[in-house]
Amino acid sequence: MKLVRYRKPSLATLLGVTAAKRRVKRQAGISQVQAWIKPSRVKQRAKYRLGLYSPAVRAVRQTSKGKVPGSLGFFTKLK
């Protein structure tokens, strides 16, 4: 663990509880199941299959929010 940190670690992290819980979940394969049944992941997978994350659609979404692509491909805010 780093000496200088941005945030103070929680007590569970210091005691190793978080790492133990993650290890058990990985071994049980719970995260693999959750990736298929969690509502947010189901929506994300549907959007991906529809092509809503393609570069063209992403650019349209950004310009509708008032951001236009700059010279290096970064989006800059319209004033």
Side-chain angles (χ1 to χ4, degrees):
M1 200 182 297
K2 289 194 230 176
L3 291 175
V4 178
R5 295 174 52 95
Y6 172 67
R7 289 172 46 171
K8 181 176 70 169
S10 68
L11 186 61
T13 302
L14 288 174
L15 294 176
V17 174
T18 307
K21 283 170 71 174
R22 290 180 73 193
R23 205 170 24 253
V24 167
K25 281 187 178 184
R26 278 198 192 112
Q27 288 172 349
I30 291 173
S31 22
Q32 295 296 317
V33 173
Q34 284 179 341
W36 284 98
I37 62 172
K38 207 170 186 183
S40 61
R41 287 290 292 135
V42 171
K43 276 174 41 179
Q44 185 181 20
R45 199 168 40 252
K47 287 179 182 179
Y48 180 78
R49 287 187 179 150
L50 287 172
L52 293 180
Y53 293 129
S54 66
V57 176
R58 216 175 321 145
V60 169
R61 204 166 39 242
Q62 292 293 334
T63 52
S64 70
K65 289 182 182 176
K67 297 179 181 178
V68 293
S71 57
L72 297 175
F74 300 117
F75 286 94
T76 56
K77 200 106 164 126
L78 283 176
K79 294 181 181 177

